[in-house]
Amino acid sequence: MNGEDNCINIECLKLVNSNFQKFLDIHSTNYHIELKKSLEEIGLFFDLDRIYIYYFSKDPTFMQIECQWNRKEVRPKREFNEEEVVYALPWLIRKIKNSNDVVINSINEIPDEAVSEIEAFSKEGVKSFLIIPLKSENKLIGFIGYESLLKSIVWKEGQIRILGDISKAFSHTKARIEKEKVYEKDINGQSILLNNSESQIWALSNVTSYATANEAHAKFFGKTKSDLEYQDLYDIFDIDTANKLSKSNWELFQKGEPAEKELEIKNFKGENRLLKIKSRPQRDDKGNIQYLICTANDITEQRLAEKELYKAKEQAEAANTAKSRFLANMSHEIRTPMNGIFGFLELLQATNLSLEQKEFIREAKSASEILLHIINDILDFSKIEAKKLTMEKIKFNLRNSIEDAVSLLAPKAAEKNLELYTMINPNVPEEVIGDPSRLRQVLNNLISNAVKFTSKGEISVKVDCLKEENKIAFLNFEVKDTGIGIRKEHINTIFKSFSQADASTTRKYGGTGLGLAISSELVKMMGGKIQVESIVGEGSTFKFDVKLKIVKGASVQKFDFEKLRGMNVLVVDDNDNNRKIVVSYLQETGLMVFEAKNAAAAITTIISKANTKNKINTAIIDYQMTDMSAYELATTLKTMPFAKDVKLILLASVNQKGETKSSKEYGFSCYLGKPVKRDDLLNCIAMVLGLKKEDEEKCEVVTKHIVREVKNELKPKILLVEDNVMNRKIVINILKLHDMTCDVAVNGSEALKAVSEKDYDVVFMDCQMPVMDGYECTAKIRILEGDKKHTTIIAMTANAMEGDSEKCIEAGMDAYISKPINFDTMFKMIEANTKKRELVPDYNKIIDDNIDCFVETTGLEKADAREILEEYTRCLPDLLADINRAIDDKDFDKLAGVTHELKGSSGTLRIMSIHELAIKLEAAAFKHEEDECGRLFAEIKALFY
Ligand code: ADP
């Protein structure tokens, strides 16, 4: 390097130094002015004519002059500062991109290939130029051009290096300023957010000191942001506010983790406002809390609104409770007189009436039943509306429940000559947990609709278990009819409340339109859905599914099927479905089952199998068949040598009353009502084949009436606890109609006394009574009995709202009958609870009942009279046994003789009850009236129990 270079260098170093220093921390606002000054300084220093800096745009195919300087007499590089296309100077740009300085001492040095550049620079009259690439972090961001127009320059190496160094100061500064701009933009953005936020935001450096706060927080206290920043609470606020804030801050700091609290504090207007504060600690590297960042929202209005809402909700709930209570009361009020109507109609029916009067009563009863049904529907619907309807979870026999529901409608179906059959798939679990009465209610509704809307054909009820999962049975029910069907457009609406397929149907068929709406809700509550498929004129199929818990290890069979193995049964029925059902029930058991479609086929089958191992033991015969009636078939069979020993079972519709008696005359061993219940059928077969004794419990199947007679002989001991005279009268009289009596208590306290003195089979307990109500009375009875005894107590109440049955059960009662009383249910309960006690005749009863009359008519001393009567009662058992034997042996002479003896002794002793019956019995014996003799003897026996 020569001296000139050195001299340049010293000056240059100064120039470089001053530029570096200047741009080191230059603020963006001065950047352009200072840059321009620097370019001028450099231009003058190196005796140049023009300097310009280009930076590439965001789109790198464009560039733009950032700053330019030119000597006064020289034109600026560009008149307008606008974007230019990079590839206008392709050769130059290529060079720059390769990080090369472009050093041109004379324009002739530009290579020929740089056509555009030669033209551009020549046009501008540039004689020499130096272009240096500008980089930031190794990335090309632009270039700086140094030009001489007035004279040619030979660019020296030192000069180029110095200009290169200065260029670096420019590019670094540009990069720094760009970054700062972005950062500032960011900061600005955040401060816009912070200061315009509705939420209050602040940071605390300790319990009483702010680090910073946003405008919203400052404004709340009527301050500015700078009033709060780095200040102590006690220096800014009044003592109360400062105390409150520091206490709240202290609590939040204490938590040491994100926390929340509400704080009531005065704002700048002195109004108490409720702030919901959320805090989050910000920790330093060592884990110490550096700041507590807080945000807060004013929830004063929101809280007020919540309070209002709560009040409104409370009011609504109160209204709802009032509605429910009203419903409960109304239901009680309506049910009480309904009980009277039902009861007295029932009693009236048993009196001597003309045919017309009987018909009127039948109509009145049917109208009251409809009314009760409507009341129940409305009540259920209100319960669903008020979300008060709950499902019970009790163990029950599913098959029995389904069969009971179907049986209930069997008389109506039979009245319309409709076949009604049930098909319960063997995979359906026997014992389940759920709400049997609600399940029955749904089935009831669907079946009664099917009966209502079908005039001919059949109704089938099918139940299937789709799958079992975790001890839950997924059951599918199907009720299919061949009735009027439902139009497509009505299918979706019939499940809505009060909706019926159309108005005209309503008028023709009646109904409230609530049944399906209730059923659909009930099914939903049982975990399923109800659906319908229907074709107008062909019929409808309602399907629903429910989920029920299977009872673990429930015993399925009621008796040993093994006993039936090897027996051959013939099912005779012209209705394919009915026959198939009976066959399917039998096939589960190991019985060999044969089918006959008509009487002729039955006869052929019996004869052809007579001398084979498949000899028919039992034939189950449908009452009505096209070719021959069941009675005709039975008569024919009895005349045939091979067939006369076949035991016959009659299948008849429930309303074919009186069949029990005549069926026996035609040689049937047993009669079963349709639709057939599987267990009844099996029990019946076992019984007629002699595999089961008739007097076993299950022989109830033969007919309901026989069962009741048997039970009556057991003389159930009933206590009726009822304060209402009308209700008492009804129950007493209904019991009397069935040859039963009961003791009566008019309140709980009387009942308590009665139960402690006598052993009752069943106590019917009213709930609401003066002195002591039914709940209290039951609870006391349970305490009294302890573990030693358990008297069956059945609530009889007009309350039918949710919780009533629970209340009864909680009080210790065993079951619940709602009023108006369903007497069938009442008798079923009596039957189920009457203990089978050894019937010990009580002859002393005769003495107690007759001694006064005997003393009075004979003038005897009471003690003597007792002795005579005791002697008489000692002889009585033998006398009665003789009469019994004579009746059994049909030995009427002997019967007349012993009865005569009874007549004489009872007459002498003035025991008129026995005496009068003995006279009648003697007369009947003379006339050889076997049935009458049996009946009268039963009456005599009854006097001792
Ligand atoms: P209700 O029978 O008391 O009118 P439901 O809710 O039980 O009320 O039934 C609503 C309507 O659905 C009935 O009025 C009838 O139009 C139609 N419907 C229900 N079941 C059947 C059916 N099995 N066949 C034809 N229509 C039916």
Side-chain angles (χ1 to χ4, degrees):
M1 236 184 254
N2 55 29
E4 192 193 24
D5 268 2
N6 268 341
C7 158
I8 291 172
N9 274 346
I10 291 162
E11 289 302 312
C12 278
L13 282 177
K14 277 190 191 163
L15 184 70
V16 172
N17 199 25
S18 76
N19 269 301
F20 264 99
Q21 263 189 7
K22 184 162 81 180
F23 285 108
L24 193 66
D25 56 0
I26 194 161
H27 195 266
S28 60
T29 43
N30 300 327
Y31 167 68
H32 261 98
I33 299 165
E34 292 304 326
L35 185 60
K36 197 154 186 173
K37 273 190 201 163
S38 287
L39 295 190
E40 183 173 18
E41 214 177 331
I42 296 163
L44 294 176
F45 183 84
F46 288 103
D47 196 18
L48 301 171
D49 297 322
R50 274 198 317 216
I51 308 177
Y52 50 87
I53 300 175
Y54 269 102
Y55 281 117
F56 297 118
S57 305
K58 260 192 196 151
D59 174 353
T61 52
F62 290 94
M63 58 188 188
Q64 192 169 6
I65 283 184
E66 165 102 343
C67 189
Q68 59 178 329
W69 164 83
N70 48 283
R71 215 186 268 280
K72 262 196 190 125
E73 56 275 26
V74 176
R75 276 178 46 206
K77 181 76 177 173
R78 292 287 180 262
E79 295 288 349
F80 303 104
N81 197 356
E82 57 192 8
E83 281 196 320
E84 296 167 41
V85 183
V86 166
Y87 293 105
L89 304 169
W91 173 79
L92 189 67
I93 297 296
R94 210 162 46 241
K95 284 258 172 204
I96 293 167
K97 282 200 169 162
N98 287 333
S99 299
N100 293 332
D101 294 342
V102 183
V103 186
I104 301 293
N105 296 324
S106 153
I107 201 83
N108 304 330
E109 289 176 11
I110 302 177
D112 292 346
E113 60 178 293
V115 185
S116 313
E117 285 80 358
I118 294 171
E119 193 193 336
F121 284 103
S122 308
K123 211 168 156 189
E124 288 180 27
V126 178
K127 291 220 165 66
S128 309
F129 64 90
L130 169 67
I131 307 276
I132 296 172
L134 295 176
K135 291 181 171 181
S136 163
E137 292 171 358
N138 258 340
K139 195 175 155 234
L140 186 71
I141 58 171
F143 57 90
I144 181 162
Y146 301 95
E147 286 181 356
S148 173
L149 276 78
L150 302 177
K151 59 182 187 307
S152 291
I153 293 180
V154 178
W155 299 97
K156 295 193 181 82
E157 207 182 306
Q159 200 181 2
I160 296 169
R161 206 175 55 241
I162 283 163
L163 287 171
D165 285 347
I166 293 176
S167 308
K168 276 182 191 150
F170 295 154
S171 59
H172 285 147
T173 307
K174 167 74 177 169
R176 177 175 63 81
I177 282 176
E178 280 303 318
K179 268 190 193 160
E180 279 176 4
K181 265 193 201 161
V182 172
Y183 183 68
E184 225 164 72
K185 224 166 132 189
D186 266 9
I187 292 281
N188 275 342
Q190 286 185 12
S191 70
I192 287 170
L193 284 181
L194 283 178
N195 288 322
N196 289 295
S197 161
E198 288 265 323
S199 300
Q200 301 181 30
I201 305 168
W202 67 96
L204 298 163
S205 46
N206 61 50
V207 172
T208 61
S209 304
Y210 277 108
T212 184
N214 74 343
E215 291 293 350
H217 185 58
K219 227 161 105 186
F220 180 84
F221 294 110
K223 313 259 179 212
T224 63
K225 186 167 145 59
S226 54
D227 288 341
L228 307 188
E229 271 174 342
Y230 307 112
Q231 299 300 311
D232 193 282
L233 300 179
Y234 287 89
D235 294 337
I236 338 168
F237 300 121
D238 61 72
I239 186 79
D240 271 358
T241 308
N243 274 344
K244 266 194 176 171
L245 283 172
S246 62
K247 182 169 175 277
S248 154
N249 292 345
W250 188 81
E251 283 170 18
L252 293 170
F253 263 100
Q254 278 296 95
K255 297 253 161 111
E257 54 185 38
E260 249 185 63
K261 83 183 296 297
E262 288 180 6
L263 175 71
E264 195 178 64
I265 196 151
K266 281 194 168 54
N267 68 2
F268 70 101
K269 290 182 195 160
E271 299 165 342
N272 268 332
R273 308 293 300 180
L274 187 65
L275 298 185
K276 186 178 185 116
I277 304 174
K278 286 185 183 176
S279 70
R280 173 183 289 276
Q282 193 180 329
R283 295 176 187 274
D284 61 18
D285 300 344
K286 289 177 196 131
N288 298 319
I289 297 179
Q290 202 175 13
Y291 299 110
L292 190 73
I293 315 295
C294 302
T295 56
N297 284 318
D298 189 332
I299 56 163
T300 318
E301 273 75 29
Q302 183 190 331
R303 183 52 48 84
L304 275 178
E306 278 169 11
K307 277 188 185 156
E308 288 297 315
L309 206 69
Y310 184 73
K311 238 201 254 165
K313 185 176 154 260
E314 294 255 288
Q315 278 169 358
E317 275 175 2
N320 212 9
T321 317
K323 186 176 137 195
S324 300
R325 213 173 293 137
F326 170 75
L327 272 171
N329 286 341
M330 279 309 289
S331 145
H332 188 271
E333 290 309 313
I334 297 169
R335 276 159 191 277
T336 307
M338 285 295 288
N339 197 32
I341 296 171
F342 271 108
F344 285 116
L345 283 176
E346 189 90 19
L347 291 172
L348 196 56
Q349 209 169 26
T351 59
N352 275 336
L353 296 171
S354 70
L355 274 180
E356 193 184 27
Q357 283 166 328
K358 275 190 180 151
E359 177 60 18
F360 291 164
I361 291 182
R362 213 179 56 76
E363 291 294 331
K365 269 180 81 177
S366 119
S368 342
E369 262 157 30
I370 292 170
L371 178 60
L372 185 66
H373 187 82
I374 295 171
I375 293 167
N376 284 339
D377 267 5
I378 293 174
L379 201 68
D380 269 348
F381 181 69
S382 321
K383 278 196 252 178
I384 289 170
E385 285 271 278
K387 307 237 176 304
K388 289 265 176 193
L389 195 120
T390 50
M391 286 282 152
E392 288 209 70
K393 281 198 189 86
I394 51 174
K395 198 164 105 178
F396 68 99
N397 184 295
L398 184 56
R399 177 179 288 272
N400 290 352
S401 284
I402 299 165
E403 288 176 336
D404 284 351
V406 182
S407 301
L408 205 65
L409 273 310
K412 272 196 186 144
E415 242 170 57
K416 293 179 84 174
N417 248 335
L418 299 170
E419 278 291 347
L420 170 63
Y421 55 86
T422 327
M423 177 69 215
I424 303 173
N425 199 317
N427 68 5
V428 171
E430 210 78 3
E431 297 277 328
V432 291
I433 292 177
D435 194 328
S437 59
R438 293 301 181 186
L439 180 64
R440 272 201 300 267
Q441 187 178 349
V442 176
L443 276 172
N444 222 328
N445 177 237
L446 298 185
I447 304 167
S448 63
N449 275 347
V451 174
K452 181 158 81 172
F453 295 106
T454 306
S455 55
K456 67 170 195 294
E458 56 184 36
I459 292 156
S460 65
V461 180
K462 291 186 185 164
V463 188
D464 193 12
C465 181
L466 302 179
K467 62 172 178 173
E468 278 182 24
E469 226 174 68
N470 301 326
K471 295 255 166 282
I472 303 283
F474 290 67
L475 299 160
N476 184 264
F477 291 75
E478 182 191 292
V479 178
K480 190 173 178 184
D481 64 51
T482 51
I484 59 168
I486 305 161
R487 263 188 242 229
K488 248 197 188 130
E489 62 267 32
H490 293 140
I491 287 223
N492 290 328
T493 57
I494 55 168
F495 293 105
K496 296 194 176 121
S497 44
F498 303 107
S499 101
Q500 293 169 320
D502 63 43
S504 65
T505 349
T506 315
R507 248 170 265 130
K508 186 170 169 200
Y509 295 99
T512 55
L514 282 176
L516 286 177
I518 294 168
S519 295
S520 153
E521 284 303 316
L522 293 178
V523 168
K524 255 191 237 162
M525 290 175 82
M526 289 188 267
K529 214 175 134 195
I530 193 163
Q531 282 164 307
V532 61
E533 285 160 17
S534 186
I535 299 172
V536 174
E538 288 188 20
S540 313
T541 308
F542 283 82
K543 289 183 188 171
F544 68 94
D545 36 36
V546 297
K547 289 182 210 159
L548 289 173
K549 198 159 183 234
I550 305 165
V551 177
K552 228 165 66 190
S555 64
V556 175
Q557 271 99 34
K558 287 198 167 166
F559 67 90
D560 192 4
F561 285 144
E562 267 309 304
K563 284 186 186 170
L564 297 175
R565 209 167 278 281
M567 294 292 175
N568 304 312
V569 178
L570 175 68
V571 184
V572 193
D573 196 334
D574 56 352
N575 181 300
D576 287 349
N577 284 324
N578 261 338
R579 202 178 57 246
K580 286 213 174 79
I581 290 164
V582 174
V583 168
S584 83
Y585 286 168
L586 298 178
Q587 269 164 349
E588 287 173 46
T589 62
L591 275 164
M592 182 77 106
V593 189
F594 299 92
E595 295 179 48
K597 273 186 167 203
N598 48 43
I603 295 168
T604 318
T605 311
I606 291 173
I607 294 175
S608 66
K609 308 232 176 283
N611 285 324
T612 71
K613 66 176 177 28
N614 290 336
K615 180 176 179 298
I616 302 294
N617 308 97
T618 308
I620 301 166
I621 304 171
D622 187 52
Y623 181 78
Q624 265 171 332
M625 282 179 299
T626 40
D627 61 339
M628 211 186 257
S629 82
Y631 289 165
E632 284 168 330
L633 176 59
T635 315
T636 313
L637 289 175
K638 290 292 162 197
T639 59
M640 295 162 62
F642 294 125
K644 71 173 193 303
D645 294 334
V646 176
K647 301 278 184 203
L648 304 180
I649 296 172
L650 177 69
L651 284 190
S653 301
V654 282
N655 70 335
Q656 281 151 356
K657 281 185 190 148
E659 295 309 332
T660 338
K661 233 179 177 172
S662 23
S663 68
K664 287 230 157 108
E665 281 162 19
Y666 284 97
F668 283 92
S669 311
C670 179
Y671 148 85
L672 277 177
K674 282 199 287 185
V676 182
K677 298 181 181 177
R678 188 198 65 181
D679 292 349
D680 285 359
L681 177 70
L682 299 180
N683 277 310
C684 191
I685 292 174
M687 211 180 71
V688 300
L689 290 176
L691 302 172
K692 216 166 181 206
K693 276 199 243 121
E694 283 214 20
D695 57 357
E696 270 182 45
E697 197 189 334
K698 305 289 173 348
C699 79
E700 292 172 7
V701 297
V702 179
T703 68
K704 259 189 178 178
H705 311 285
I706 288 179
V707 176
R708 201 158 289 163
E709 281 159 25
V710 171
K711 292 282 178 177
N712 289 356
E713 276 182 16
L714 292 177
K715 293 277 174 234
K717 291 183 181 165
I718 303 165
L719 174 66
L720 172 69
V721 192
E722 171 67 80
D723 65 320
N724 182 299
V725 188
M726 178 188 80
N727 286 341
R728 270 204 311 265
K729 224 175 186 177
I730 290 167
V731 176
I732 294 170
N733 282 292
I734 293 280
L735 288 173
K736 207 161 136 197
L737 278 181
H738 289 77
D739 275 341
M740 294 184 194
T741 55
C742 66
D743 293 347
V744 172
V746 299
N747 58 46
S749 122
E750 280 189 22
L752 190 59
K753 189 162 170 281
V755 171
S756 63
E757 287 170 0
K758 194 168 164 183
D759 188 15
Y760 288 102
D761 288 319
V762 58
V763 176
F764 289 110
M765 178 82 75
D766 185 21
C767 290
Q768 291 169 3
M769 285 176 296
V771 187
M772 186 190 284
D773 66 21
Y775 307 112
E776 191 185 340
C777 172
T778 307
K780 289 204 165 141
I781 292 175
R782 294 299 176 227
I783 293 171
L784 191 81
E785 294 180 329
D787 296 336
K788 286 180 226 101
K789 203 173 139 192
H790 185 96
T791 307
T792 304
I793 303 177
I794 293 163
M796 247 183 191
T797 162
N799 294 340
M801 286 302 280
E802 186 222 335
D804 288 333
S805 59
E806 285 85 348
K807 208 170 153 192
C808 296
I809 305 297
E810 255 168 45
M813 300 191 207
D814 299 284
Y816 170 98
I817 311 186
S818 67
K819 287 176 187 166
I821 298 161
N822 179 323
F823 296 109
D824 241 14
T825 314
M826 186 180 88
F827 282 112
K828 269 190 195 144
M829 286 182 165
I830 295 174
E831 278 175 25
N833 288 291
T834 302
K835 291 177 205 81
K836 278 191 178 163
R837 46 178 85 80
E838 211 22 63
L839 280 183
V840 187
D842 181 6
Y843 298 115
N844 287 336
K845 199 165 168 274
I846 293 290
I847 303 177
D848 295 341
D849 289 352
N850 296 282
I851 192 161
D852 290 343
C853 169
F854 189 39
V855 168
E856 206 176 291
T857 50
T858 56
L860 279 169
E861 283 293 310
K862 200 163 186 177
D864 294 338
R866 180 171 288 279
E867 210 172 295
I868 297 168
L869 285 170
E870 274 171 2
E871 178 56 32
Y872 165 80
T873 54
R874 261 195 296 279
C875 300
L876 256 182
D878 286 343
L879 205 54
L880 292 174
D882 286 346
I883 296 177
N884 200 2
R885 212 167 307 119
I887 293 176
D888 282 350
D889 298 345
K890 299 194 181 101
D891 185 345
F892 295 104
D893 292 343
K894 188 170 176 215
L895 177 61
V898 276
T899 309
H900 186 77
E901 213 176 302
L902 179 70
K903 183 181 80 175
S905 54
S906 53
T908 315
L909 300 178
R910 307 288 189 274
I911 306 172
M912 297 321 287
S913 51
I914 299 179
H915 181 68
E916 279 166 12
L917 285 169
I919 294 172
K920 287 184 190 163
L921 179 57
E922 192 185 15
F926 284 139
K927 288 190 218 157
H928 291 212
E929 289 171 348
E930 187 188 338
D931 283 356
E932 186 63 2
C933 290
R935 199 186 61 73
L936 288 164
F937 180 59
E939 272 194 55
I940 296 174
K941 270 202 306 183
L943 296 172
F944 309 111
Y945 296 101

